[in-house]
């Protein structure tokens, strides 16, 4: 699980400069968290698509942004990523003479496409020379996906700069509104 904690010390300069009331600061923080969740959703969809060589529609189906929740520590916006393996058939798999090729330059030698036990298509390979057993082929995305989310998205300077920009904008708007 990747967790991001925003330290109030970095925001105190903006709050002191504008002379905001605590209620305005809390409202601006909640609004900022909601907007940043949308920003993270968009950036992570695009970035994971490039990093993992997957289509964006597959990542969007595995990404859920919950509503803002107030907690004892402040507020949070949970974002859930389904980083379990993706079936190779979901990547536009096509059978050819060598085996099966799929989106992102993936090639499975001696692979074939058949219906599985549930009646859906799968990409299989044989585990030996015999007809059975066969194994369904999947693409592992957990490790590279987690590394990208943690290192290149959440802990990036772009994220922090965007957060401060949105927070300052929200707080300024609330100060003018009053």
């Amino acid at each position: 699980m990747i967790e991001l904690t925003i330290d109030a010390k970095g925001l105190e300069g903006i709050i002191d400069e504008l002379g905001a009331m605590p209620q305005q600061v809390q409202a601006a923080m909640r609004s900022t968290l909601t907007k940043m969740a949308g920003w993270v959703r968009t950036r992570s969809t695009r970035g994971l698509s490039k990093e993992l060589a997957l289509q964006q529609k597959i990542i969007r189906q595995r990404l859920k942004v919950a509503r803002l929740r107030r907690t004892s520590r402040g507020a949070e916006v949970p974002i859930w990523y389904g980083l379990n393996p993706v079936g190779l058939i979901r990547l536009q798999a096509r059978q050819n003479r060598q085996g099966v090729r799929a989106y992102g330059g993936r090639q499975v030698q001696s692979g074939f496409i058949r219906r599985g036990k549930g009646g859906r298509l799968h990409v299989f390979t044989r585990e030996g020379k015999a007809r059975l057993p066969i194994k369904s082929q999947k693409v592992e995305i957990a490790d590279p996906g987690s590394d990208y989310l943690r290192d290149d998205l959440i802990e990036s300077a772009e994220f922090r700069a965007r957060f401060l920009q949105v927070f300052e904008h929200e707080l300024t708007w609330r100060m003018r509104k009053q």
Side-chain angles (χ1 to χ4, degrees):
M1 182 172 139
I2 301 169
E3 186 173 318
L4 172 69
T5 305
I6 303 297
D7 189 15
K9 291 179 183 176
L11 304 175
E12 286 176 356
I14 297 170
I15 295 167
D16 292 341
E17 180 182 317
L18 297 174
M21 302 294 288
Q23 297 86 1
Q24 293 170 329
V25 172
Q26 288 176 355
M29 183 59 75
R30 287 192 299 267
S31 179
T32 301
L33 287 174
T34 303
K35 289 182 179 186
M36 286 304 295
W39 184 84
V40 166
R41 179 181 185 186
T42 302
R43 295 294 171 147
S44 62
T45 301
R46 290 177 187 164
L48 283 172
S49 175
K50 289 179 185 173
E51 185 76 20
L52 303 173
L54 294 174
Q55 297 165 314
Q56 287 185 14
K57 70 179 183 178
I58 293 172
I59 295 169
R60 271 189 232 109
Q61 292 169 351
R62 295 164 166 256
L63 177 63
K64 304 289 185 231
V65 178
R67 290 186 173 193
L68 177 87
R69 285 191 263 181
R70 294 181 187 182
T71 63
S72 61
R73 299 184 301 162
E76 67 181 15
V77 180
I79 302 174
W80 177 83
Y81 291 92
L83 295 178
N84 48 334
V86 178
L88 197 62
I89 195 70
R90 303 244 359 249
L91 304 178
Q92 299 175 347
R94 299 288 178 256
Q95 195 161 349
N96 58 24
R97 290 181 187 187
Q98 291 81 27
V100 175
R101 70 171 168 74
Y103 184 85
R106 294 175 174 91
Q107 176 75 26
V108 177
Q109 296 295 343
S110 302
F112 57 96
I113 299 175
R114 292 292 180 267
R115 295 201 183 276
K117 289 183 180 179
R120 294 191 174 152
L121 292 175
H122 292 279
V123 176
F124 293 106
T125 56
R126 300 193 193 287
E127 291 188 347
K129 293 193 176 207
R131 185 169 177 262
L132 292 174
I134 57 176
K135 183 178 179 186
S136 180
Q137 298 298 302
K138 298 180 185 294
V139 178
E140 294 291 332
I141 62 172
D143 292 337
S146 295
D147 292 345
Y148 172 79
L149 291 172
R150 182 177 38 256
D151 300 338
D152 297 341
L153 187 66
I154 300 299
E155 294 179 0
S156 68
E158 181 185 11
F159 178 84
R160 296 188 191 287
R162 178 71 179 180
F163 184 87
L164 290 174
Q165 177 189 5
V166 171
F167 179 73
E168 183 176 4
H169 173 76
E170 289 295 316
L171 193 56
T172 305
W173 180 79
R174 279 175 172 55
M175 295 294 293
R176 266 191 266 132
K177 189 172 110 172
Q178 299 260 332

